């Protein structure tokens, strides 16, 4: 299946330019840090310099004691509790300002407020801390050992949760091929261009706490604030203005948000905190640290029979709200089989508390690590059995005739042709040509390598999946409101948030598809709990499936109402008129939606007697036919050149063949893929947040924490397959995270392919830094761990 | 990450800068392009009372040429050099080096004098200008003096500048027609500081054959007589005569104990030699 026709107007399938870019590209966006409220004061936090310590005392200097707040001042504020209902889950309580102990470097100890941030930092620097250092858990595997220092004294160990999934693993034990690897992924930071930020004030007229926050989930933040501050929901309004990227970090209730909310109520002045990059890197946006001990069993021809895995995730000190500390590790067990069909499986997982800041879900969440582990062992099997890596995958990819397919962990694949994606990717990268070039050798001595990886991305999964996790937030029906304005414009109200996803454009395209109102006259209202239906927000690649479906339903309802008024005005039967291109069209005449709206609002004397009094405004809820999620997927193929003397890697070619179901705006989808791949390249080659043995974070600026830049991200070649989901409106599938999932696996496989010529040790840890590559070369001949 | 409070002065002549620096009641810090100092102020690693902006002083932007050398004022920016707005007496070598420093936004403001004074071991100019045999012209309370760039840097972020002294200009000897120059910077990605730098200058007409291994933990390793690296032989540096033991020994002496670090330095040196041979 090829992309939609070139010119479908402004509706579904049209690559229209983004409506939001007119303001964003001219620098006219309005982000939290752009807000100026009269009398606003700035906050700086005193953060723990130690990873693990008992708090003996916090001394406020006399001269500015009134501008410093500690846990004692915030006494009625409740800690953040993100519980999971999974059996055995141990609960952590994250105090908003630390009490008793600090459990990671950067944990909040005191809040300082002044007229400028610089002055607030002066005050913060004047606070004297009396801390008794305790031994720290800096590594998840060490944290699992008996006798490790305890983070949460009452637990008895440091394991938030242990899970085990098993399906006939014994069947695999006498397989002729057995490959075991120990694989690690680095702790990373999400690094959206805009960090977190909060402006809070108390609205006296409405008796309401108003929180402007750089968040992707305003309604969930409101619920969390309500719990921690003990305020009724009506007393809280959360506004998410323009938000400069989120990737998961902005889907978390921050202690800083709660603290600012409390402060705004107490100091009777607007207050703000804008996260700086050091706070962001060392105390905020951490994610992704996994460890796998994985064994793959296969036939002699390379067909995978079974996977046996023990996975550990470094969860950090606390369970983050609302996703909890278990989501990442427990998901590993259910998604490790990826897009493959094989008969034997076992996976045990551990979510381990360490003295590091909590890890948070990042684009792709557990999938990036899982894909890395599985795809690296599949390449190891291919090498062991002497076949091309894509051949090993072809033998086990779920086939189109199996759809819909329930896999070994009972994931329900809705539709797709996975082998086609891989076949096309291998063809596009031109495998024979790459192998010939590899054999020929490069004039500059660099080594050529080819890597592939395939993943699937479960998206927009709903109640049936999340109810089982028992976390504070379970998505249900998604609602949207549509309202025709008196002059014929259309307002859409949604509780999801657009912060890079282009929803101001794409949801308008959905509405246009149904009502034909020109995109220029469609406005998306979002990011404000006062104006939008409750929603769990934007996460899990769910917004187009869920909010797109809801917008379609709401617009269909508006169409029905407009038809009944229009038919009356046209003196036609309702069954004989239709909405086409912004007009209600009857057998002999037509009337525009604009005229219908004018009649409803301004000339009600012209309305039919039995008109629906709901008028031209409707809120409708939506869920796909099945809420077990859509499955988008892609095959990535990459060619790299590795410099064996510097360890540097250049990406020479990158191909993606992806099925995202029906594409609402193919250009926007390409943008999502490119952005995701850029982040995946960061994961593969550059990004790493190291800690020393005292659990001190070692990358505190972007000079230490390397991100890929324009010269490191190559032009990519993207091919689309549009196999619709049978369960969703228009057949759309969620695609927001996919780009970030496969690159670390594909690129590392390519590097290992390149290094094979030297007999180097396999790279089994991300990122594949020059040092790791040179080390692998230096240790040629040593067996893999 | 906001700077601690400071006062700001922008004098128009060097005398006033020195007078401010001599005051004992205040701590001053010179501000040139601010590309290294700016982050240090914001991270509060530097907390001067008075920031003395030296970019309004005409002498510090001067350009002088004679038959032997080009002299560039300390406040000439990397971008001035990259774009050829100032003469390049080194057959284009200066602009090639400038182009690989940081990103354009940094190059627009960052200065050659600031780079030398900051003495970041991984910076490009300190290694290159040492290899070129350049001299820093220094002014201070005790008057003027010149210091070879090769000895200006005494350690990581440390220089031989006395309190109150500033770099006024850099005098860079011209290459002769016979000069062969090779420069190689190993870095993780475009715009990053170097992990290793190799430089070779062979200019037989002037009797110069220098090599530098830079971006070490400290000051660059300068071989004023590069013959020592090539088995004592004279003539153009050639890869097949490179004495790996001598290079390795120099790195060990400089405290580089890690084998992978040494490999990167040797690679940078080899590639610089290769480039000089092709030049
Ligand atoms: C993102 C980034 C990437 C970078 N990458 C590189 C790179 O790849 N290679 C590289 O070489 N550099 C790099 N740099 C550093 C850059 O080149 C700076 O311009 C340079 O280090 C300092 O020059 P400046 O004029 O900005 O000095 P400033 O920041 O103004 O000052 C630096 C220090 O020198 C002192 N100083 C300044 N001028 C004088 C003077 N005339 N006499 C005495 N003392 C003086 C100041 O007091 C201060 O202590 C990078 C910087 C950034 C921000």
């Amino acid at each position: 299946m090829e992309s939609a026709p070139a010119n479908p107007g402004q509706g579904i399938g049209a690559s229209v330019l983004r409506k939001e870019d007119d303001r964003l590209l001219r620098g006219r966006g309005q982000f939290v840090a752009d807000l100026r409220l009269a009398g606003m004061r700035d906050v700086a936090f005193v953060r723990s310099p130690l990873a693990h310590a008992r708090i003996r005392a916090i001394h406020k200097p006399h001269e500015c004691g009134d501008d410093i707040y500690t846990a004692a001042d915030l006494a009625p504020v409740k800690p953040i509790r993100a519980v999971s209902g999974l059996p055995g889950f141990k609960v952590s309580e994250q105090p908003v300002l630390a009490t008793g102990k600090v459990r990671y470097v950067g944990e909040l100890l005191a809040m300082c407020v002044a007229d400028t941030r610089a002055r607030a930092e002066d005050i913060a620097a004047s606070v004297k801390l009396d801390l008794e250092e305790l031994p720290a858990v800096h590594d998840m595997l060490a944290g699992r050992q008996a006798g490790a220092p305890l983070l949460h004294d009452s637990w008895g160990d440091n394991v938030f949760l242990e899970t085990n999934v098993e399906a006939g693993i014994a069947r695999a034990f006498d397989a002729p091929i057995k490959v075991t690897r120990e694989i690690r992924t680095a702790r990373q930071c999400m690094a959206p261009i805009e960090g977190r930020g909060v402006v809070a004030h108390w609205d006296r007229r409405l008796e309401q706490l108003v929180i402007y926050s750089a968040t992707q989930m305003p309604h969930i933040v409101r619920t969390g604030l309500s719990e921690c501050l003990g305020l009724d929901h009506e007393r809280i309004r959360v506004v998410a203005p323009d938000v400069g990227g989120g990737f998961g970090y902005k889907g978390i209730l921050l202690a800083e948000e709660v603290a600012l909310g409390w402060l705004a109520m107490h100091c009777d002045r607007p207050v703000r905190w804008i996260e700086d990059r050091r706070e962001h890197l060392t105390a905020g946006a951490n994610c992704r640290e996994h460890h796998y001990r994985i064994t793959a069993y296969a036939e002699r021809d390379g067909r995978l029979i079974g996977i046996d895995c023990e996975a550990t995730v470094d969860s950090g000190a606390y369970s983050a709200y609302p996703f909890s500390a278990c989501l990442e590790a427990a998901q590993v067990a259910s998604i490790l089989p990826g897009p493959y069909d094989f008969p034997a499986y076992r996976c045990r997982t551990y979510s381990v508390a360490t003295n590091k800041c909590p890890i948070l879900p990042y684009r792709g969440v557990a999938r990036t690590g899982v894909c890395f582990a599985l795809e690296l062992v599949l390449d190891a099997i291919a090498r062991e059995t002497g076949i091309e890596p894509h051949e090993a995958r072809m033998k086990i990819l779920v086939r189109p005739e199996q759809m819909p397919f329930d896999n070994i962990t009972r994931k329900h694949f809705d539709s797709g042709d996975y082998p086609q994606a891989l076949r096309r990717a291998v063809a596009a990268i031109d495998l024979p040509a790459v192998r010939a070039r590899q054999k020929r050798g490069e004039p500059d001595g660099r080594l050529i390598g080819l890597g592939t990886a395939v993943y699937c991305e479960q998206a927009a999964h709903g109640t049936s999946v999340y109810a089982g996790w028992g976390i504070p937030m379970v998505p249900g029906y998604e609602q949207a409101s549509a309202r025709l304005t008196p002059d014929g414009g259309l307002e859409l109200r949604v509780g999801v948030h657009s912060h890079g996803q282009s929803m101001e454009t794409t949801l308008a395209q959905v509405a246009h598809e149904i009502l034909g109102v020109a995109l220029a006259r469609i406005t998306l209202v979002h990011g404000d709990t006062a104006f939008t239906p409750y929603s769990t927000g934007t996460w899990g690649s769910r917004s187009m499936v869920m909010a797109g479906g809801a917008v379609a339903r709401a617009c269909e309802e508006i169409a029905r109402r407009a038809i009944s008024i229009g038919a009356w005005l046209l003196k036609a039967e309702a069954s004989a008129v239709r909405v086409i291109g912004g007009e209600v069209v009857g057998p002999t005449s037509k009337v525009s939606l604009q005229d219908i709206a004018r009649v409803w609002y301004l000339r009600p004397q012209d309305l039919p007697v039995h008109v629906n009094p709901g008028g031209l405004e409707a809120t409708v809820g939506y869920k796909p036919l099945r809420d077990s999620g859509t499955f988008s997927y892609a095959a990535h193929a990459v060619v790299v050149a590795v410099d064996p003397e510097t360890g540097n890697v250049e990406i020479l070619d990158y191909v993606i063949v992806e099925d995202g179901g029906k594409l609402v705006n193919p250009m926007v989808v390409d943008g999502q893929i490119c952005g995701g791949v850029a982040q995946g390249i960061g994961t593969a080659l550059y990004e790493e947040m190291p800690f020393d043995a005292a659990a001190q974070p070692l990358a505190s600026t972007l000079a230490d924490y390397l991100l890929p830049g324009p010269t490191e991200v190559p032009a990519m070649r993207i091919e689309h397959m549009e196999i619709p989901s049978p369960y969703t409106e228009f057949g759309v599938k969620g695609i927001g995270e996919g780009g970030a999932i496969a690159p670390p696996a594909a690129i590392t496989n390519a590097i290992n392919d390149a290094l094979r010529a030297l007999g180097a040790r396999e790279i089994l840890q991300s990122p594949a830094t020059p040092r790791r590559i040179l080390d692998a070369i230096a240790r040629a001949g040593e067996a893999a761990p | 990450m906001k700077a601690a409070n400071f006062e700001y002065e922008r004098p128009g002549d060097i005398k006033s800068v020195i007078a401010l620096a001599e005051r004992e009641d205040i701590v001053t810090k010179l501000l040139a392009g601010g590309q290294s100092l700016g982050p240090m102020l914001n991270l509060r690693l530097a907390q001067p009372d008075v920031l003395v902006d030296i970019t309004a002083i005409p002498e510090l932007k001067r350009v002088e040429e004679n038959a032997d050398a080009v002299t560039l004022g300390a406040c000439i920016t990397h971008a001035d050099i990259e774009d050829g707005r100032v003469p390049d007496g080194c057959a284009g070598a200066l602009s090639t080096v400038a182009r690989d420093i940081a990103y354009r936004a940094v190059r627009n403001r960052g200065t050659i004098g600031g780079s030398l004074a900051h003495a970041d071991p991984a910076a490009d100019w300190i290694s290159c200008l040492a290899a070129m045999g350049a001299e820093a012209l220094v002014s201070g309370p005790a008057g003027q003096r010149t210091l070879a760039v090769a000895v200006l840097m005494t350690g990581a972020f440390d220089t031989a500048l006395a309190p109150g002294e500033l770099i006024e200009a850099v005098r860079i000897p011209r290459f002769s027609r016979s000069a062969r120059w090779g420069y190689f910077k190993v870095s993780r990605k475009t715009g990053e500081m170097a992990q290793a730098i190799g430089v070779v200058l062979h200019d037989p007409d002037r009797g110069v054959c220098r090599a530098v291994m830079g971006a070490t933990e400290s000051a660059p390793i300068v071989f004023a007589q590069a013959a020592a690296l090539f088995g004592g032989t004279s003539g153009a540096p050639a890869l097949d005569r490179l004495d790996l033991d001598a290079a390795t020994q120099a790195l060990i002496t400089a405290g580089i104990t890690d084998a992978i670090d040494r490999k990167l330095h040797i690679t940078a040196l080899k590639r610089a030699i290769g480039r000089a041979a092709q030049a």
Side-chain angles (χ1 to χ4, degrees):
Chain A
M1 286 192 201
E2 294 303 326
S3 296
N7 184 16
Q10 297 188 322
I12 291 189
S15 287
V16 295
L17 295 180
R18 301 189 340 147
K19 284 164 68 76
E20 44 270 70
D21 279 342
D22 187 55
R23 93 174 168 279
L24 295 176
L25 295 184
R26 291 176 208 277
R28 292 182 190 147
Q30 191 176 52
F31 299 85
V32 169
D34 295 319
L35 298 172
R36 296 281 176 276
L37 304 188
M40 184 165 71
R41 307 194 83 201
D42 265 297
V43 167
F45 287 98
V46 178
R47 292 176 180 274
S48 175
L50 298 176
H52 201 190
R54 211 170 299 289
I55 304 170
R56 286 212 206 93
I58 302 173
H59 300 291
K60 304 178 184 177
H62 280 303
E63 58 284 9
C64 41
D66 293 347
D67 297 324
I68 303 170
Y69 302 89
T70 64
D73 302 301
L74 270 66
V77 174
K78 292 200 203 65
I80 296 173
R81 272 169 66 96
V83 183
S84 160
L86 291 176
F89 181 82
K90 300 195 192 87
V91 180
S92 70
E93 295 204 332
Q94 178 181 3
V96 169
L97 297 179
T99 50
K101 286 212 293 187
V102 281
R103 294 184 177 83
Y104 65 92
V105 172
E107 188 168 356
L108 306 182
L109 278 162
M111 170 165 57
C112 305
V113 58
D115 288 339
T116 64
R117 169 72 183 239
R119 178 67 196 132
E121 287 185 21
D122 293 346
I123 297 173
S126 73
V127 174
K128 295 259 176 321
L129 302 173
D130 184 357
L131 302 176
E132 175 193 340
E133 186 160 14
L134 299 170
V137 176
H138 80 287
D139 176 76
M140 55 182 148
L141 299 183
R144 261 177 62 191
Q145 302 294 319
L150 291 184
L151 267 90
H152 301 280
D153 299 331
S154 64
W155 285 13
D157 62 17
N158 289 315
V159 181
F160 273 106
L161 182 71
E162 189 179 327
T163 69
N164 191 32
V165 173
E166 183 159 350
I169 186 63
R171 241 173 294 177
F173 288 151
D174 32 305
I177 304 286
K178 181 181 166 195
V179 173
T180 298
R181 295 289 184 271
E182 188 176 345
I183 293 173
R184 251 185 196 264
T185 62
R187 190 170 258 254
Q188 277 183 251
C189 278
M190 294 181 236
I193 287 184
E194 181 206 27
R196 293 293 299 253
V198 185
V199 168
H201 76 97
W202 180 259
D203 184 315
R204 292 194 212 169
R205 180 177 66 88
L206 299 173
E207 291 182 47
Q208 206 177 35
L209 174 65
V210 182
I211 298 256
Y212 297 88
S213 182
T215 177
Q216 52 196 84
M217 296 163 47
H219 294 273
I220 296 299
V221 168
R222 186 187 189 207
T223 297
L225 286 171
S226 165
E227 283 172 21
C228 291
L229 294 173
L231 272 183
D232 295 336
H233 271 67
E234 318 82 274
R235 298 277 78 82
I236 303 172
R237 174 179 168 203
V238 176
V239 182
D242 277 329
V243 172
F247 310 120
Y249 182 37
K250 293 175 184 166
I252 298 300
L253 175 71
L254 290 185
E256 288 87 343
E257 283 170 311
V258 182
L260 270 275
W262 178 87
L263 184 61
M265 295 194 297
H266 280 76
C267 74
D268 207 24
R269 293 267 292 273
V271 288
R272 80 165 171 180
W273 164 73
I274 304 298
E275 181 185 61
D276 68 32
R277 199 51 74 174
R278 186 167 47 174
E279 294 179 294
H280 180 91
L281 288 170
T282 60
N286 282 216
C287 55
R288 286 257 205 273
E289 191 175 2
H290 293 196
H291 175 272
Y292 298 85
R293 235 175 237 113
I294 183 168
T295 299
Y297 297 92
E299 304 286 9
R300 251 180 252 294
D301 68 355
R303 165 184 289 274
L304 180 75
I305 305 169
I307 290 284
D308 194 2
C309 179
E310 184 186 288
T312 309
V313 170
D314 185 328
S315 299
Y318 297 106
S319 177
Y321 186 98
F323 292 101
S324 90
C326 72
L327 188 79
E328 185 106 1
Q331 266 205 60
V332 166
S334 68
I335 64 179
L336 179 60
Y340 303 111
D341 181 18
F342 56 90
Y345 180 64
R346 178 165 66 183
C347 184
R348 184 175 286 280
T349 74
Y350 300 87
S351 312
V352 180
T354 60
N355 288 112
K356 305 183 195 170
C357 65
I359 74 157
L360 310 174
Y362 174 34
R363 198 176 199 173
V365 197
R367 281 169 213 285
T368 304
V370 159
C371 178
F372 188 70
L374 183 62
E375 297 289 319
L376 260 54
V377 290
L378 287 179
D379 264 36
I381 289 175
R383 276 193 290 275
E384 187 103 358
T385 55
I387 58 176
E388 280 287 356
H390 76 273
E391 291 168 346
R393 292 170 173 83
M394 275 301 180
K395 291 176 198 287
I396 49 171
L397 274 174
V398 176
R399 297 183 312 278
E401 62 273 19
Q402 292 175 288
M403 295 296 167
F405 172 76
D406 290 322
N407 83 348
I408 196 159
T409 57
R410 295 200 292 277
K411 292 280 171 195
H412 182 80
F413 289 50
D414 53 349
S415 70
D417 185 346
Y418 290 70
Q420 185 193 147
L422 181 56
R423 241 184 343 262
R424 283 171 58 172
V426 171
I429 206 87
D430 197 350
L431 176 78
V434 176
R435 289 288 178 233
R437 178 174 175 183
Q438 190 174 38
K439 225 165 133 195
R440 223 168 28 240
E442 298 295 291
D444 61 6
R446 293 193 299 173
L447 304 166
I448 299 294
L450 172 71
T452 46
V454 190
Y455 71 88
C456 57
E457 176 189 7
Q458 184 185 16
H461 28 331
T463 318
S464 63
V465 177
Y466 276 88
W469 296 102
I471 59 175
M473 166 195 93
V474 177
Y477 286 92
E478 188 73 22
Q479 292 179 320
S481 302
R483 175 200 285 168
L484 275 181
T485 61
D487 58 353
L490 181 69
E491 289 173 353
L492 304 172
R493 294 178 150 67
V494 291
V496 293
H497 190 270
S498 182
H499 41 277
Q501 292 83 353
S502 324
M503 284 188 264
E504 292 176 43
T505 306
T506 53
L507 291 180
Q509 287 181 262
V510 170
H512 175 88
E513 182 76 19
I514 289 163
L515 292 173
V517 175
L519 283 200
R521 292 300 315 277
I522 304 177
T523 297
L524 185 72
V525 178
H526 70 298
D528 191 333
T529 58
F531 297 132
T532 60
Y534 195 92
S535 167
T536 56
T538 294
W539 57 276
S541 300
R542 65 191 296 278
S543 295
M544 182 44 72
V545 173
M546 300 303 299
V551 163
R553 290 295 155 82
C555 289
E556 283 158 7
E557 180 60 22
I558 296 296
R560 276 191 289 278
R561 306 227 187 127
I563 279 173
S564 96
I565 300 172
W568 169 264
L569 296 174
L570 295 175
K571 302 191 173 26
E573 285 296 319
S575 60
V577 303
R578 291 201 301 145
V579 176
I580 304 171
E583 296 171 323
V584 170
V585 181
T588 55
S589 51
K590 55 190 188 181
V591 54
S592 68
L593 292 177
Q594 189 172 357
D595 288 338
I596 291 171
R598 192 174 306 127
V599 168
W600 168 260
Y601 289 103
L602 306 173
R603 295 186 54 81
Q605 62 272 35
D606 294 345
L607 287 169
V609 189
H610 297 296
V611 70
N612 181 337
L616 298 174
E617 178 164 357
T619 301
V620 182
Y622 169 81
K623 223 185 211 197
L625 296 172
R626 264 193 77 126
D627 72 357
S628 51
T630 61
F631 277 66
S632 54
Y633 55 92
H636 288 212
V638 56
V639 180
V640 301
V642 181
D643 185 330
E645 292 189 310
T646 64
N648 279 339
V649 176
E650 185 188 356
I651 297 173
L652 302 177
D653 195 8
Y654 205 112
V655 168
I656 299 138
V657 181
E658 124 125 359
D659 175 9
K662 180 69 193 163
L663 304 184
V664 172
N665 182 325
M667 181 190 68
V668 163
V669 173
D670 286 352
Q672 292 292 310
I673 294 172
C674 291
V677 170
Q679 290 176 311
I681 289 171
T683 304
L685 298 174
Y686 302 104
E687 298 182 40
E688 182 165 20
M689 171 54 72
F691 287 76
D692 69 11
Q696 286 285 340
L698 299 180
S700 61
T701 73
L702 293 179
D704 312 309
Y705 188 83
L706 289 193
L707 292 165
T711 47
E712 286 72 47
V713 179
M716 307 156 205
R717 296 189 283 141
I718 302 172
E719 292 181 25
H720 293 293
M721 297 161 50
E722 288 190 73
I723 300 179
S725 170
Y727 305 131
T728 65
E729 198 71 36
F730 311 112
V732 297
K733 296 176 180 174
I735 53 87
E737 298 167 82
I741 296 173
I747 292 168
T748 308
N749 278 337
I751 293 169
N752 284 332
D753 185 52
L755 296 185
R756 222 181 150 186
L758 304 178
R761 252 170 80 124
E762 284 170 32
I763 303 277
L764 297 169
Q765 168 151 22
S766 70
T769 58
R771 173 166 293 274
R772 292 200 173 104
I773 289 173
L774 293 176
D775 187 57
I777 295 171
R779 295 161 76 175
E782 285 180 38
Chain B
M1 262 205 284
K2 298 285 182 212
N5 229 5
F6 56 80
E7 300 293 320
Y8 174 80
E9 299 282 350
R10 195 167 189 244
D13 56 63
I14 293 177
K15 245 186 20 244
S16 315
V17 175
I18 294 172
L20 278 165
E22 277 185 311
R23 273 176 56 183
E24 282 178 1
D25 55 330
I26 50 169
V27 175
T28 60
K29 193 88 187 145
L30 303 187
L31 174 74
Q35 297 306 293
S36 297
L37 185 53
M40 290 175 65
L41 289 170
N42 280 346
L43 290 164
R44 299 197 170 196
L45 298 172
Q47 301 197 16
D49 301 309
V50 182
L51 211 51
V52 184
D53 185 337
I54 56 172
T55 55
I57 301 169
E59 292 112 293
L60 300 190
K61 291 216 186 110
R62 72 176 189 260
V63 176
E64 288 161 8
E65 288 191 80
N66 64 26
D68 302 331
V70 172
T71 300
L72 300 180
C75 286
I76 296 296
T77 65
H78 311 323
D80 290 333
I81 298 168
E82 174 184 13
D83 295 350
R85 277 192 295 279
V86 295
D88 187 332
C90 305
L94 290 177
S95 89
T96 313
V97 171
R99 196 182 309 139
D100 268 355
I101 296 175
Y103 311 92
R104 182 68 197 198
V106 173
R107 298 197 290 272
N108 282 339
R109 299 197 78 100
T111 65
I112 191 167
S115 180
L116 291 178
H118 187 57
D120 185 332
D124 295 73
W125 287 130
I126 195 87
S127 289
C128 286
L129 292 172
M132 287 169 170
E135 292 168 328
L137 312 185
V138 173
S139 296
Q144 291 191 315
R145 61 175 178 143
T146 55
L147 258 175
V149 170
V151 298
L152 172 69
M153 184 170 166
T154 50
F157 306 101
D158 215 354
T159 64
L161 293 177
E165 278 189 327
L166 75 154
I167 299 174
E168 216 186 290
V170 188
R171 189 180 161 279
I172 308 164
R174 287 182 185 279
F175 285 6
S176 78
R177 273 167 186 279
S178 66
R180 292 289 175 270
W181 163 261
Y183 176 70
F184 195 89
K185 171 180 179 179
V186 177
S187 70
R188 293 277 311 269
K189 58 176 201 129
T190 307
E192 283 306 310
M193 302 293 273
Q195 293 176 293
I197 287 173
V199 204
V200 173
L201 173 62
H202 181 230
D203 196 345
D205 287 359
R206 293 192 295 134
V208 168
C209 189
R210 275 192 218 98
V212 170
M213 288 196 278
T216 64
E217 305 279 283
S218 177
I221 306 169
V222 180
F223 298 87
Q225 306 297 333
L229 277 175
F230 298 93
T233 55
S234 58
L239 270 179
D240 53 359
R241 284 188 287 108
L242 176 63
D243 181 348
L244 282 177
D245 289 342
T248 303
Q249 199 47 54
L251 289 165
I252 291 172
T253 308
I256 300 178
T257 50
D258 180 84
I260 287 177
D261 285 341
R262 285 203 300 271
K263 182 178 172 78
L264 291 178
H265 284 286
I266 300 279
T267 298
L269 180 65
K270 280 182 174 171
R271 291 191 181 177
I273 295 166
R275 286 189 174 176
Q278 279 165 15

